[in-house]
Amino acid sequence: MRVTLFHTLLLVLACIVAPAVAAPPAGFDARVEAAMRTRDVPGMAIAIVKDGEIVHAKGYGVRALGGSDPVDADTLFPTGSTGKAVTAAALAILVDDGKLHWDDRVIDHLPEFRMHDPWVTREMTVRDLLVHRSGLGLGAGDLLFIPRSSRSRADIVRALRHIEPATSFRSGYAYDNILYIVAGEVVAAVSGESWEAFVRDHIFRPLGMATAVSDEADRFATRNRAQPHARLDPRLRGLGEQQLLREREGLGQVGAAAGGLSWSANDFARWLQVQLALGARPDGNGRLWNEATAREMWTPQIHVPIRPYPEPIGAITPQFSGYALGWNVQDYRGVKVVQHGGAVFGVLAFVVLVPEHDLGIALQINAEDVDVLRGLGQELLDHYLGFEPRDWVAAFGQWNQARLEGGLAALASTGTQARKASKPSLPLAGYAGRYVDAWYGPITVAADAGRLRIDFLQTPNMAGTLEHWQYDTFRTRWDDTAIEPAYVSFALDAEGKVSRITMKAVSPLADFSYDYHDLSFVPQAEE
């Protein structure tokens, strides 16, 4: 009788103590809501897994600014580039099945694959597709599918051969999206299923991720989904008070393997569970991938240069940093973390795994306020790792404000120093024509009712007016004000005709995916 009572007391104590150890900080819900109010963030979703258990999966705020539909634990958010790890996991399943090897040559599975350099084409492996060491520049080729595209994935694979490298093959790190699209095509070629179907049937369903979608059509068919929001300002995108409230296509379906998934806090928690369990299913019914393959996906393949963060967020500067297969691997105050951020226009996500503490944290936000997202993430990390609590939201806010003010100052300085009183060399009709870039494809420039108009023909709704800036350089005023403004410069030949068009982003803080500087348009030959 005493033994029974003793064991009963132990069980009661375990039930009381264990949740306290795994629980978020006291008053965490109020803290999230207060942080959201500092930036008028519409909605958030947060998932936490500790010691194999889902200890927190909850939504906050509303799905759309001005609306009343609440964000809950089943509200869909686009996950952005945190989904790169899903494409890596899809390949890992094929590796475990013996259908693929990490160091297979890409051309052995996609014979039509070509890089600019024939030697790189022959040598590039499946592993190379995932680790940002191809020699392409930062964000190279992103305008093929960002902000949206009418192209097929096969079109994008074909365009790769025209993108010139920025560095030699495997010599350094430069983040890209386009090769993850190729990786998704490898999944399709090897499995005989589309990337969307493979991810759905071999990852989402076995994990019980009931709301997760790999197809944009399924996201738009889901009523319980978060709507994106951004701050717009005529001087600098990302600063200002006007809110953008409408559906955005983000990476679009063509770029899904690089970051086109959507799921909820509940589903993010299940994804954290299988990651921390090194591929074992949370329900105990087998594995999605084996432990050795799981560790391979977390093994850094290339060094990521470390740029110290300024105060007041200097403490997040890592001592080591590398990129693995769909994951950043670095340390936070000496503790190894496996993490990744995600950004689709108007939505952000951040996920961090701490393997030695069996901890996973994921945050999603239907706005672009990185200070709230990362600040709350750091506060959770400090709580679970036993560090002194601090107001990380305020710290990130100070850093972000300084960054934005610096960008505005640089923009103002450029404008006052560079702009010269001048006139275009040609009448507006002289700039009109159809032009083509080797990797992007065609655009048109047309004189219409006293205005010059530009249209990116394979990017739906990417059209706008060209306003004269100086000499033969014009500034875009896109019809879609969420698209990053650009300078458009016309070069003339000896006969006074346009021989080349180049572009560059107006803002010094422009997202790297607006790789205007890689474009070089020439007049399209008449057929």
Side-chain angles (χ1 to χ4, degrees):
M1 181 68 178
R2 290 180 179 176
V3 173
T4 303
L5 180 59
F6 176 71
H7 281 86
T8 301
L9 287 171
L10 284 180
L11 288 172
V12 171
L13 286 172
C15 291
I16 294 172
V17 175
V21 172
F28 181 65
D29 287 348
R31 172 60 180 153
V32 173
E33 291 163 357
M36 291 169 63
R37 284 195 297 272
T38 65
R39 295 285 283 158
D40 295 323
V41 169
M44 286 194 74
I46 299 175
I48 305 170
V49 168
K50 183 74 173 76
D51 300 326
E53 298 297 324
I54 299 172
V55 299
H56 190 87
K58 189 172 182 179
Y60 303 84
V62 293
R63 301 176 211 162
L65 191 68
S68 59
D69 292 330
V71 173
D72 59 32
D74 287 321
T75 300
L76 284 187
F77 285 75
T79 63
S81 286
T82 65
K84 285 181 167 62
V86 176
T87 295
L91 291 166
I93 292 170
L94 295 170
V95 168
D96 282 353
D97 288 344
K99 297 178 180 178
L100 179 74
H101 295 92
W102 293 117
D103 295 314
D104 284 353
R105 299 191 309 168
V106 176
I107 56 172
D108 291 338
H109 298 289
L110 295 178
E112 69 278 14
F113 171 78
R114 297 288 184 277
M115 295 293 285
H116 192 271
D117 185 321
W119 181 82
V120 176
T121 299
R122 292 193 303 270
E123 295 298 316
M124 184 165 289
T125 66
V126 173
R127 186 189 305 272
D128 289 320
L129 295 176
L130 305 179
V131 299
H132 311 297
R133 65 184 185 190
S134 68
L136 293 175
L138 176 65
D142 278 3
L143 280 171
L144 285 166
F145 57 96
I146 291 176
R148 57 190 76 90
S149 180
S150 60
R151 296 174 178 83
S152 68
R153 289 171 185 159
D155 291 337
I156 288 178
V157 173
R158 282 191 293 270
L160 260 173
R161 67 198 66 192
H162 301 295
I163 302 178
E164 296 186 17
T167 64
S168 57
F169 185 44
R170 295 180 184 152
S171 65
Y173 171 87
Y175 190 85
D176 76 79
N177 288 303
I178 196 168
L179 291 179
Y180 268 81
I181 298 175
V182 179
E185 290 297 272
V186 172
V187 170
V190 173
S191 69
E193 305 175 53
S194 69
W195 176 87
E196 288 85 355
F198 190 91
V199 167
R200 181 190 66 228
D201 295 341
H202 297 269
I203 297 177
F204 292 169
R205 287 180 177 169
L207 291 178
M209 297 172 70
T211 65
V213 296
S214 53
D215 193 297
E216 281 284 88
D218 293 334
R219 177 168 76 89
F220 287 114
T222 302
R223 184 177 181 277
N224 188 4
R225 68 181 187 275
Q227 301 238 4
H229 303 77
R231 300 176 188 272
L232 300 180
D233 184 277
R235 300 169 298 167
L236 186 69
R237 190 179 189 280
L239 185 64
E241 296 305 322
Q242 182 184 358
Q243 296 290 338
L244 174 68
L245 173 55
R246 57 195 174 87
E247 292 287 4
R248 294 298 307 257
E249 296 172 6
L251 291 177
Q253 197 58 37
V254 70
L261 299 172
S262 295
W263 60 42
S264 64
N266 275 333
D267 287 336
F268 224 143
R270 293 179 178 92
W271 176 244
L272 298 176
Q273 284 181 307
V274 75
Q275 286 291 326
L276 291 166
L278 300 176
R281 287 173 53 164
D283 60 9
N285 294 324
R287 309 183 68 88
L288 292 192
W289 53 84
N290 67 45
E291 183 173 332
T293 302
R295 297 191 185 282
E296 183 76 7
M297 286 190 281
W298 287 355
T299 300
Q301 306 290 312
I302 187 166
H303 170 67
V304 177
I306 296 173
R307 296 177 177 84
Y309 286 93
E311 295 302 333
I313 63 168
I316 72 168
T317 302
Q319 298 176 66
F320 71 88
S321 182
Y323 201 88
L325 305 183
W327 291 98
N328 292 106
V329 181
Q330 57 188 67
D331 73 289
Y332 172 55
R333 299 175 71 172
V335 179
K336 178 183 175 181
V337 296
V338 181
Q339 65 184 47
H340 214 291
V344 177
F345 302 122
V347 182
L348 297 177
F350 180 67
V351 57
V352 57
L353 307 170
V354 189
E356 67 183 85
H357 289 263
D358 202 4
L359 170 68
I361 300 167
L363 305 96
Q364 299 165 280
I365 185 172
N366 60 346
E368 295 182 344
D369 297 295
V370 65
D371 38 351
V372 175
L373 182 87
R374 287 299 307 273
L376 288 172
Q378 291 302 133
E379 290 179 18
L380 284 171
L381 269 180
D382 283 354
H383 167 71
Y384 284 105
L385 299 183
F387 298 131
E388 283 292 318
R390 63 173 292 191
D391 187 346
W392 276 106
V393 174
F396 270 93
Q398 292 177 42
W399 163 79
N400 195 40
Q401 187 62 31
R403 182 180 69 95
L404 294 173
E405 288 175 355
L408 280 175
L411 187 61
S413 175
T414 299
T416 57
Q417 293 177 14
R419 193 173 189 183
K420 301 292 190 296
S422 56
K423 295 181 179 180
S425 301
L426 305 175
L428 295 185
Y431 299 100
R434 186 180 176 98
Y435 302 88
V436 64
D437 173 81
W439 61 264
Y440 173 81
I443 62 169
T444 59
V445 176
D448 178 32
R451 300 182 306 166
L452 205 56
R453 297 277 294 173
I454 187 170
D455 191 347
F456 276 59
L457 297 176
Q458 295 190 93
T459 306
N461 303 319
M462 189 171 174
T465 299
L466 295 180
E467 298 178 344
H468 184 249
W469 183 251
Q470 62 179 11
Y471 302 115
D472 293 311
T473 293
F474 295 75
R475 188 184 188 278
T476 59
R477 188 166 298 280
W478 300 111
D479 298 340
D480 179 349
T481 57
I483 297 176
E484 193 70 51
Y487 293 120
V488 180
S489 296
F490 295 82
L492 308 182
D493 62 18
E495 297 180 355
K497 296 181 179 181
V498 176
S499 61
R500 185 170 176 243
I501 300 175
T502 57
M503 298 179 65
K504 71 173 184 177
V506 171
S507 169
L509 298 182
D511 188 283
F512 65 77
S513 288
Y514 286 102
D515 53 327
Y516 296 126
H517 50 277
D518 291 330
L519 295 167
S520 179
F521 293 100
V522 297
Q524 186 168 17
E526 295 184 4
E527 297 181 357

